[in-house]
Amino acid sequence: MHRQELRGALFMYAKLNPGLRYIQGMNELIAPLYWLFKNDPDPVNAQYAEADAFWCFMDLISEFRDHFCQQLDNAQTGIKATLRKLMNMLQHHDYKLWQHIEVESKVDAQFYAFRWITLLLSQEFALPDTLRIWDTILSDPHGRMDCLLRICTAMILHVRERLMQGDFAVIMKTLQRYPPVDVTVLLNKAAMMAPCNEVLGSPV
């Protein structure tokens, strides 16, 4: 039943957005929204979970949709540009760690952060933690993308010791299968960082 409702919402999105349609991974973004509305304690509200999830998904994806469009991969708003901004953030906050990951170990951010960014970290954490992270991203005064990049930067910094001691394989395993962590620590670390546009000198 729930799969059918999610499928219906995504089908409607594809019909309304023929230039993009459905891209693999969009289901991972709408599922937490649907779960949240479906578990509303008010049954009257819960019965509209599919519609509510659809409209919230439309708003959410509007800012991140270019990451799903392969034709825009090399554009200023594409996924490759966003990954470069993440690496620039890491370089600013911890040059030695950035150098070890990117230069010495030759670990491309696309190997791990592509999923982080396109799926808004929904695959890295349990659902309650994902919802808390999303609540932070959606309410951040500096913007959703800015907040997401700061959280991703905080994630890398949080496992610094393990990464600095590791080679290519260790770094890949650590970042592709992020270890259990109290998300409060990550969110606090991200909140203490200067906004990305101040660090990078341009809007994100």
Side-chain angles (χ1 to χ4, degrees):
M1 176 181 176
H2 299 311
R3 288 185 179 180
Q4 183 176 351
E5 291 181 330
L6 288 174
R7 191 179 297 115
L10 290 170
F11 176 79
M12 182 60 66
Y13 177 81
K15 294 292 286 185
L16 293 174
N17 296 271
L20 186 61
R21 298 192 176 185
Y22 171 77
I23 304 295
Q24 184 177 4
M26 288 182 175
N27 58 306
E28 304 293 351
L29 295 179
I30 197 172
L33 298 171
Y34 176 79
W35 181 92
L36 186 66
F37 289 118
K38 196 65 178 178
N39 286 276
D40 192 303
D42 187 336
V44 176
N45 292 333
Q47 68 178 326
Y48 299 111
E50 180 182 352
D52 290 339
F54 169 76
W55 289 112
C56 286
F57 173 75
M58 286 279 285
D59 179 72
L60 182 66
I61 201 70
S62 65
E63 189 165 342
F64 300 100
R65 59 174 289 161
D66 288 357
H67 293 156
F68 288 91
C69 187
Q70 190 173 6
Q71 292 87 340
L72 296 176
D73 279 358
N74 296 308
Q76 189 173 1
T77 57
I79 185 63
K80 290 184 179 179
T82 301
L83 291 171
R84 284 195 298 272
K85 291 172 184 175
L86 173 60
M87 287 299 95
N88 289 340
M89 284 290 290
L90 178 62
Q91 184 177 5
H92 172 81
H93 287 284
D94 194 326
Y95 183 86
K96 288 185 178 180
L97 179 57
W98 167 81
Q99 186 176 44
H100 178 66
I101 295 173
E102 185 107 327
V103 181
E104 297 171 1
S105 302
K106 293 181 171 50
V107 176
D108 194 315
Q110 189 165 343
F111 296 156
Y112 58 91
F114 180 91
R115 185 177 69 187
W116 291 5
I117 291 170
T118 55
L119 302 185
L120 305 185
L121 301 172
S122 62
Q123 296 299 289
E124 316 311 316
F125 302 98
L127 181 58
D129 289 338
T130 297
L131 293 175
R132 186 174 179 196
I133 290 171
W134 283 19
D135 186 60
T136 302
I137 291 173
L138 294 173
S139 61
D140 191 279
H142 301 293
R144 299 172 184 177
M145 183 66 72
D146 193 295
C147 184
L148 176 61
L149 287 175
R150 281 184 280 118
I151 294 174
C152 290
T153 304
M155 289 172 63
I156 301 173
L157 295 174
H158 184 71
V159 289
R160 182 186 196 279
E161 184 175 349
R162 187 181 307 188
L163 297 176
M164 288 297 292
Q165 295 176 354
D167 56 8
F168 178 92
V170 171
I171 294 172
M172 286 286 290
K173 182 179 180 180
T174 301
L175 297 178
Q176 286 187 336
R177 298 181 180 179
Y178 199 78
V181 62
D182 181 353
V183 295
T184 301
V185 175
L186 297 179
L187 296 178
N188 287 342
K189 188 184 293 286
M192 293 176 64
M193 295 179 183
C196 297
N197 62 337
E198 293 183 11
V199 174
L200 304 178
S202 61
V204 296

